[in-house]
């Protein structure tokens, strides 16, 4: 059997890994590459394989960098089933339509810019109709049920503890070529222990091969418990200055976890209870509705907690729907919290809030998630003095606070423990990490286990 990474090799977005076994082709994830608009459009329009030849897709979770290129795959001829968990299926219903909307608006914006030149108008990568059509191919399964996806390959989804519905994909394979039974585990994005709302990652007890993410392969996060006090401190500081807090957040999971944390802080009287909290992202609002429907995926403690006080219905929370309501926030006077998407600040309403608030030193920008290279979010995190938004330069005078303890990704200690927990590993293939993170992780794996560690390179096939 062979494995080739066609995305998220030596980088963190565009997850796509092709498994070839028993004369069949199985694609693990089909994510969008995110970065410079032009580069992203080119990379996402092209596959390193023929989509018509793919027999099935298995999707680890609903984040767009893992699921967002499925409509393009279908446009280019894939006509099999996309297997995922039930919650991922519900989430993709809203995530892919939102992504289509972003593709359409981006193409329109680029075409407008081209209208004064001889350049051709830009076609969206896919449109709403393509996304709606793609959603018909999805088939959701419960966690912990085993089913066949292609000849000789049985899949079981286990909880990844990363976002609602996220799975560690366990593939039990009978390889006809050498007659052997093999277990390949695809980590998807591995979560952290003790994250609020969802359950902790499931530990797979044995496997032959592990295809593992390495986003934070060489970094440790502050403990998850430190997130809330740090958040309270920046909120109170900003209130004192009379400023606003702008929080870019992934619509899926991070926004809901933030609401949960804010709710706890209000309940424990660590922050004032009269501070308006705006969730200004139509997508985050729809995802929050899906969270309300999947109570069975919450951990036990939260289930009890939510019975007495529910963060999704707290009176301080205002869910902003229309563009007009969002624009009104520009004129809001006094402290407030605005949570908005996209998480890496490359699209969506967050760009408007940053543009309107970055230049005022009273305000704070609170970073709670991963920012990939070449994104607006990364430029803010790395301390740029000014950033370009909608072709205009804005000086960053607001306080920028990075709260890594809110990360939904395993850090190096979590990753080490995860690898050590799987017995019998022969080979670990690292993906979904920039080289400064995956290289030291590979070295540590070889030092602490008998497995060989390989960093996957784009389009290079390895034999398993
Ligand atoms: Zn993810």
């Amino acid at each position: 059997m062979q494995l080739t990474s066609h995305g998220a090799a030596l980088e963190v977005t565009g997850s796509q890994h092709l498994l070839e076994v028993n004369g069949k082709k199985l694609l693990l994830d089909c994510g969008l590459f995110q970065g410079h608009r032009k580069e992203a459009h080119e990379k996402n329009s092209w596959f390193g394989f023929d989509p018509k030849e793919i027999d099935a897709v298995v999707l680890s979770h609903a984040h767009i960098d893992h699921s967002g290129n499925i409509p393009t795959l279908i446009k280019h001829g894939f006509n099999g089933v996309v297997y995922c968990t039930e919650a991922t299926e519900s989430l993709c219903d809203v995530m892919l339509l939102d992504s289509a909307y972003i593709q359409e608006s981006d193409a329109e914006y680029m075409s407008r810019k081209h209208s004064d030149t001889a350049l051709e108008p830009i076609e969206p990568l896919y449109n709403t109709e393509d996304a709606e059509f793609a959603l018909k191919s999805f088939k959701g399964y419960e966690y912990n049920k085993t089913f066949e996806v292609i000849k000789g390959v049985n899949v079981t989804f286990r909880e990844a503890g990363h976002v609602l519905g996220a799975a560690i994909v366990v593939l039990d394979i009978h390889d006809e070529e050498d007659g052997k039974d093999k277990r390949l585990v695809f980590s998807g994005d591995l979560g952290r222990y003790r994250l609020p709302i969802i359950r902790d990652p499931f530990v797979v007890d044995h496997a032959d091969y592990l295809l593992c993410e390495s986003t934070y392969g060489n970094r440790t996060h502050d403990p998850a418990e430190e997130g809330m006090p740090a958040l309270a401190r920046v909120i109170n500081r900003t209130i004192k200055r009379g400023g606003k807090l702008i929080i870019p957040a992934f619509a899926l999971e991070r926004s809901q976890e933030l609401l949960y944390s804010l709710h706890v802080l209000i309940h424990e009287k660590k922050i004032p209870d009269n501070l308006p909290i705006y969730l200004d992202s139509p997508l985050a609002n729809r995802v929050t509705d899906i969270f309300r429907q999947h109570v069975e995926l919450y951990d036990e403690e939260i289930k009890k907690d939510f019975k007495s006080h529910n963060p999704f219905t707290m009176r301080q929370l205002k869910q902003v729907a229309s563009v007009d309501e969002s624009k009104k926030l520009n004129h809001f006077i006094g402290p407030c919290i605005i949570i908005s998407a996209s998480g890496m600040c490359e699209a969506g309403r967050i760009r408007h809030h940053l543009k309107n608030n970055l230049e005022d030193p009273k305000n704070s920008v609170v970073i709670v998630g991963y920012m990939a290279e070449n994104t607006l979010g990364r430029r803010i995190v790395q301390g740029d003095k000014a950033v370009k938004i909608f072709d205009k330069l804005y000086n960053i005078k607001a306080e920028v606070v990075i709260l890594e303890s809110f990360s939904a990704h395993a850090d190096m200690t979590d990753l080490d423990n995860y690898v050590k927990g799987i017995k019998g590993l022969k080979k670990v293939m690292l993906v979904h990490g920039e080289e400064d993170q995956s290289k030291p992780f590979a070295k540590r794996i070889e030092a602490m286990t008998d497995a060989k560690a390989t960093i996957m390179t784009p389009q290079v096939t390895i034999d398993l």
Side-chain angles (χ1 to χ4, degrees), residues 153-268:
V153 178
N154 287 312
V155 159
T156 313
F157 291 126
R158 302 290 194 179
E159 276 164 296
H162 167 62
V163 298
L164 193 80
I168 293 166
V169 182
V170 180
L171 300 112
D172 285 304
I173 302 158
H174 179 71
D175 186 350
E176 288 173 353
E177 208 178 319
D178 57 15
K180 286 185 182 157
D181 291 326
K182 302 169 183 179
R183 175 176 277 185
L184 166 67
V185 173
F186 173 39
S187 72
D189 282 355
L190 203 56
R192 297 185 75 188
Y193 290 84
R194 302 184 307 281
L195 270 189
I197 312 179
I198 52 170
R199 284 191 280 264
D200 288 345
F202 178 93
V203 183
V204 180
D205 56 1
H206 79 277
D208 301 291
Y209 306 105
L210 172 66
L211 179 61
C212 190
E213 71 125 319
S214 54
T215 319
Y216 292 106
N218 199 32
R219 296 251 299 273
T220 42
H221 302 315
D222 299 333
E225 305 78 56
E226 281 177 20
M228 284 217 248
L231 180 62
R233 284 196 294 275
V234 59
I235 291 172
N236 290 321
R237 224 165 37 230
T238 312
I239 294 175
K240 246 189 203 163
R241 297 196 295 256
K244 294 180 187 170
L245 289 110
I246 310 296
I247 314 185
F250 286 108
L252 166 54
E253 195 75 28
R254 194 60 40 80
S255 296
Q256 292 74 31
E257 281 171 10
L258 272 168
L259 293 180
Y260 172 76
S261 301
L262 292 168
H263 180 74
V264 172
L265 291 174
I266 294 169
H267 199 70
E268 292 176 350

Side-chain angles (χ1 to χ4, degrees), residues 1 13 32 38 67 82 105 176 235 253 264 298 310 347 350 386 388 433 442:
M1 91 182 162
T13 66
L32 272 188
K38 195 163 170 280
S67 69
V82 177
S105 347
E176 288 173 353
I235 291 172
E253 195 75 28
V264 172
Y298 298 176
N310 188 326
I350 187 65
K388 216 181 202 186

Side-chain angles (χ1 to χ4, degrees), residues 198-374:
I198 52 170
R199 284 191 280 264
D200 288 345
F202 178 93
V203 183
V204 180
D205 56 1
H206 79 277
D208 301 291
Y209 306 105
L210 172 66
L211 179 61
C212 190
E213 71 125 319
S214 54
T215 319
Y216 292 106
N218 199 32
R219 296 251 299 273
T220 42
H221 302 315
D222 299 333
E225 305 78 56
E226 281 177 20
M228 284 217 248
L231 180 62
R233 284 196 294 275
V234 59
I235 291 172
N236 290 321
R237 224 165 37 230
T238 312
I239 294 175
K240 246 189 203 163
R241 297 196 295 256
K244 294 180 187 170
L245 289 110
I246 310 296
I247 314 185
F250 286 108
L252 166 54
E253 195 75 28
R254 194 60 40 80
S255 296
Q256 292 74 31
E257 281 171 10
L258 272 168
L259 293 180
Y260 172 76
S261 301
L262 292 168
H263 180 74
V264 172
L265 291 174
I266 294 169
H267 199 70
E268 292 176 350
K269 300 193 179 359
K270 301 271 169 50
I271 59 171
D273 72 351
N274 57 353
L275 183 68
I277 300 166
Y278 294 98
L279 183 59
D280 185 16
S281 153
L283 178 61
N285 285 321
R286 284 195 287 271
V287 169
T288 305
D289 292 338
I290 295 170
F291 263 73
R292 288 193 187 102
Q293 292 156 18
H294 283 280
V295 181
E296 80 284 0
L297 301 179
Y298 298 176
D299 66 29
E300 289 311 310
E301 209 178 307
I302 297 289
K303 268 191 214 165
K304 268 187 245 146
D305 229 25
F306 275 28
K307 271 189 192 146
S308 56
H309 49 284
N310 188 326
F312 306 141
T313 54
M314 63 178 158
R315 68 178 163 78
Q316 293 85 350
L317 173 64
K318 296 173 179 58
Q319 293 182 253
V320 181
S322 71
V323 174
D324 277 348
E325 276 178 78
S326 176
K327 282 184 179 159
K328 273 190 198 150
L329 291 178
N330 299 342
H331 310 291
F332 183 90
I333 297 172
C336 66
I337 296 178
I338 301 172
I339 302 170
S340 188
S342 73
M344 300 193 206
C345 313
E346 278 298 288
R349 295 180 183 176
I350 187 65
R351 293 176 300 172
H352 294 274
H353 295 302
L354 288 171
K355 151 177 113 73
N356 291 323
N357 293 288
L358 273 178
E359 297 203 308
D360 186 343
K362 290 202 296 291
N363 298 332
S364 296
V365 178
V366 184
I367 306 290
V368 289
Y370 187 82
M371 300 294 175
E373 269 181 339
N374 297 319

Side-chain angles (χ1 to χ4, degrees), residues 61 63 65-66 162-163 189 409:
H61 65 292
H63 270 152
D65 62 321
H66 293 257
H162 167 62
V163 298
D189 282 355
H409 277 275

Side-chain angles (χ1 to χ4, degrees), residues 4-158:
T4 316
S5 288
H6 290 277
L10 296 169
E11 59 192 9
V12 292
T13 66
S15 179
Q16 272 174 41
H17 312 287
L18 181 63
L19 181 72
E20 294 172 77
V21 62
N22 301 339
K24 300 278 176 194
K25 292 184 179 179
L26 177 68
L27 189 64
L28 303 172
D29 281 353
C30 187
L32 272 188
F33 171 82
Q34 292 159 318
H36 281 310
R37 193 183 265 119
K38 195 163 170 280
E39 188 194 2
H41 196 272
E42 273 163 22
K43 268 196 169 179
N44 290 325
S45 314
W46 178 86
F47 292 96
F49 48 83
D50 183 356
K52 289 189 209 80
E53 292 178 358
I54 301 295
D55 296 286
V57 175
V58 174
L59 186 56
S60 65
H61 65 292
H63 270 152
I64 283 302
D65 62 321
H66 293 257
S67 69
N69 221 12
I70 289 171
T72 319
L73 188 80
I74 292 174
K75 256 177 91 173
H76 289 230
F78 168 70
N79 70 357
V81 176
V82 177
Y83 296 96
C84 59
T85 65
E86 288 169 338
T88 296
E89 186 182 4
S90 315
L91 287 163
C92 279
D93 258 346
V94 298
M95 303 283 290
L96 290 185
L97 290 176
D98 182 78
S99 173
Y101 173 75
I102 293 172
Q103 302 299 332
E104 287 165 353
S105 347
D106 265 6
E108 204 187 297
Y109 172 76
M110 293 299 283
S111 299
R112 254 202 324 269
K113 280 182 80 176
H114 282 191
S115 63
D116 325 336
T117 66
L119 292 168
E120 291 285 311
I122 302 274
E123 279 295 308
L125 191 60
Y126 52 84
N127 59 25
T128 305
E129 223 172 279
D130 298 323
E132 276 167 353
F133 184 71
L135 289 163
K136 293 184 183 147
S137 310
F138 278 60
K139 195 167 167 48
Y141 277 84
E142 273 175 59
Y143 284 112
N144 309 321
K145 290 264 177 333
T146 302
F147 53 94
E148 190 177 63
V149 289
I150 53 170
K151 192 176 159 208
V153 178
N154 287 312
V155 159
T156 313
F157 291 126
R158 302 290 194 179

